Amino acid sequence: MSKSQINTKPEHPYLALMGVLIGGFVGMFSETSLNIALPSIMKAFSIETGTAQWLVTGYMLVIAIVLPLSSLLTKHFSTRGLVRFGLIDFIVGSIIAAVAPSFAILLIGRMIQGIATGLILPLMFSIAMRIFPPNKLGAALGAAALVIMFAPAIGPTISGIILGVSSWRWIFVSFIIFLLIGLIFMEKNLTNVFEVTKPAVDWLAIALSTISFGLIVFGISYLTNSIPVAIISLIAGLILLVVYIRQQMHAKTPTLDFAVLRRPEFVTGSVLVMLNFGITLSAMYLLPMYLQNGLGVAVALTGAVMLPGGVVNALVSFGAGRAYDSIGAKWMTRLGFLISAIGAVMFLFSNQNSSLGYIIAAHIVLMIGVPLAMSPSQTYGLNSLNEYQSADGSAIINTFQQVIGAVATGIATILLSTGQNNYFANGGHSTALAFTNGAHYGFAFTLVLAILGFLLAFRVHSKEYEAEKVAKEESKAGKVADLQAKEV
């Protein structure tokens, strides 16, 4: 593709971004929408919790494998072609899942969907960074963060409504409707924003990436089945991940440019995003099951209980992106994680005697804190990179975010089971109280993530500091250019 075919200034940038925003929304929506449906799916296919969990972690496994390849793919295929493939691929996976006659076929459908999400998530951020000017980037990435945060929050609500009137299969049908709308927006408005250069493919890097991330997610997911196998898998995955990163940092044309990790602001922002995502997925994994199995709330009402928090999440996500353009990330990240910690503490103090109003309030508090920190963290990290590094930075953040999501879900599952077993070991006999005890173990993990995020947020600098640093770097680059010109 020639440079003349690249258009990074579409007439309506938000409409150009809409197709990937909808695709990203469905991808993230599907990560939590099945949580509330897991009991129904387990009953339909006569499977245990550990097996059903693979609908969540298996999906994340494929995403984690595909995400590191996204930057390379933008150099080999057109932007429009990649987004089109991703949306159609998700539609195909949804159709397979909707009509699946067995759990194995359902899982295959979910993993096909994971391919699409692994493509679309990083494209959503890297396209935004190409088509929006710096003074509007906060609002644009805020819209992307709205997708990342609002979709998992609203997933259980919509699923609860669907399950109240029909089968879990219609959850997948709902995906198809959204995706067709996204496909129409893409065809009408999206332009090609990346130049196709077709660099040489580093097959060793692809193999290391695929195996390392695959082993890590598999190891976490398998902890409930066999601890020795899981630990071996985790150790092997981490070793290969280190080899992969070192290999990429010394490669002439890296598949994924890990040189961005030399930017401390990018590392800080990325880790904050991952901690925030871990808070979201651990809480959103536990809460629907806690409401049904611990507090005895009906499935349809479970969705309604989670609706206010989802709405608040959307409003705060939208506002946080715009606020970043004015005040920066320093205080927003600290306040966001502090509020998230308060929400987690509220869940820890909940029990069978807690009113639904209290549960809704705890959820709302959590859903204020999480998006308040997410968009500023993401924008803070990506803003430290230049436009050529943005695709790699986005892919790195989203890759490790999905790995952390799978890890958080796996740890929450282990703690849930541990809490239940401890309750029975101490002479308890109530299944509901056992589940409540297990949920409290899981929410304690959510609290730990929030505290870690709050402490790390003190490494985020003010907007004025960042502007001064950029000015110094530009001045330094200008002096180097002048010296080179004099030498010539």
Side-chain angles (χ1 to χ4, degrees), residues 213-250:
F213 287 118
L215 285 173
I216 290 170
V217 177
F218 174 81
I220 289 293
S221 303
Y222 212 71
L223 278 170
T224 53
N225 298 84
S226 172
I227 292 179
V229 172
I231 291 176
I232 291 171
S233 176
L234 279 169
I235 293 173
L238 290 170
I239 291 172
L240 288 176
L241 178 60
V242 172
V243 173
Y244 168 59
I245 292 174
R246 288 180 61 85
Q247 187 255 5
Q248 287 294 281
M249 293 187 78
H250 292 89

Side-chain angles (χ1 to χ4, degrees), residues 154 157 303-315 360-361 363-364 367:
I154 200 69
T157 298
V305 169
M306 299 185 71
L307 179 59
V311 172
V312 168
N313 180 295
L315 295 174
I360 291 172
H363 187 215
I364 288 175
M367 289 298 100

Side-chain angles (χ1 to χ4, degrees), residues 37-318:
L38 287 180
S40 300
I41 293 173
M42 289 163 59
K43 184 177 180 181
F45 294 115
S46 300
I47 56 175
E48 300 296 326
T49 304
T51 303
Q53 180 196 340
W54 275 98
L55 291 176
V56 179
T57 51
Y59 175 72
M60 292 182 188
L61 171 63
V62 177
I63 296 175
I65 289 172
V66 175
L67 268 167
L69 307 179
S70 61
S71 179
L72 175 66
L73 292 172
T74 61
K75 299 177 179 72
H76 280 267
F77 302 96
S78 71
T79 312
R80 285 171 54 84
L82 281 175
V83 176
R84 183 186 296 117
F85 172 82
L87 293 172
I88 293 174
D89 173 83
F90 209 121
I91 291 172
V92 171
S94 298
I95 293 172
I96 292 173
V99 301
S102 66
F103 179 77
I105 301 299
L106 175 59
L107 183 58
I108 289 172
R110 281 293 283 164
M111 297 181 89
I112 290 173
Q113 292 172 343
I115 296 172
T117 303
L119 285 174
I120 291 173
L121 279 182
L123 284 173
M124 183 168 60
F125 290 98
S126 53
I127 290 173
M129 294 195 71
R130 283 296 182 99
I131 65 178
F132 285 92
N135 65 318
K136 294 183 178 179
L137 189 58
L141 292 183
L146 169 62
V147 165
I148 295 292
M149 302 310 302
F150 178 57
I154 200 69
T157 298
I158 296 178
S159 295
I161 295 171
I162 292 173
L163 290 170
V165 298
S166 188
S167 163
W168 57 267
R169 297 181 184 274
W170 283 92
I171 295 175
F172 295 103
V173 176
S174 71
F175 298 167
I176 297 170
I177 296 170
F178 282 113
L179 292 163
L180 288 173
I181 295 172
L183 196 58
I184 293 171
F185 271 106
M186 188 282 298
E187 296 291 354
K188 283 182 171 290
N189 303 288
L190 183 63
T191 58
N192 291 317
V193 300
F194 301 108
E195 184 180 359
V196 177
T197 57
K198 295 188 181 294
V201 177
D202 187 343
W203 294 107
L204 173 61
I206 291 175
L208 286 171
S209 167
T210 300
I211 297 171
S212 62
F213 287 118
L215 285 173
I216 290 170
V217 177
F218 174 81
I220 289 293
S221 303
Y222 212 71
L223 278 170
T224 53
N225 298 84
S226 172
I227 292 179
V229 172
I231 291 176
I232 291 171
S233 176
L234 279 169
I235 293 173
L238 290 170
I239 291 172
L240 288 176
L241 178 60
V242 172
V243 173
Y244 168 59
I245 292 174
R246 288 180 61 85
Q247 187 255 5
Q248 287 294 281
M249 293 187 78
H250 292 89
K252 291 183 178 180
T253 54
T255 303
L256 199 56
D257 187 7
F258 281 97
V260 296
L261 295 178
R262 297 191 178 104
R263 306 284 299 192
E265 296 84 4
F266 175 76
V267 174
T268 299
S270 300
V271 175
L272 288 175
V273 168
M274 293 169 206
L275 290 171
N276 216 330
F277 196 61
I279 292 169
T280 302
L281 284 199
S282 61
M284 292 306 98
Y285 175 72
L286 292 165
L287 185 54
M289 294 190 292
Y290 174 47
L291 285 166
Q292 293 177 69
N293 299 332
L295 305 183
V297 178
V299 63
L301 183 57
T302 297
V305 169
M306 299 185 71
L307 179 59
V311 172
V312 168
N313 180 295
L315 295 174
V316 177
S317 294
F318 183 74

Side-chain angles (χ1 to χ4, degrees), residues 464-476:
E464 292 75 19
Y465 175 91
E466 288 305 306
E468 183 180 345
K469 184 174 181 180
V470 170
K472 287 181 179 178
E473 289 181 353
E474 289 177 348
S475 175
K476 183 179 179 181

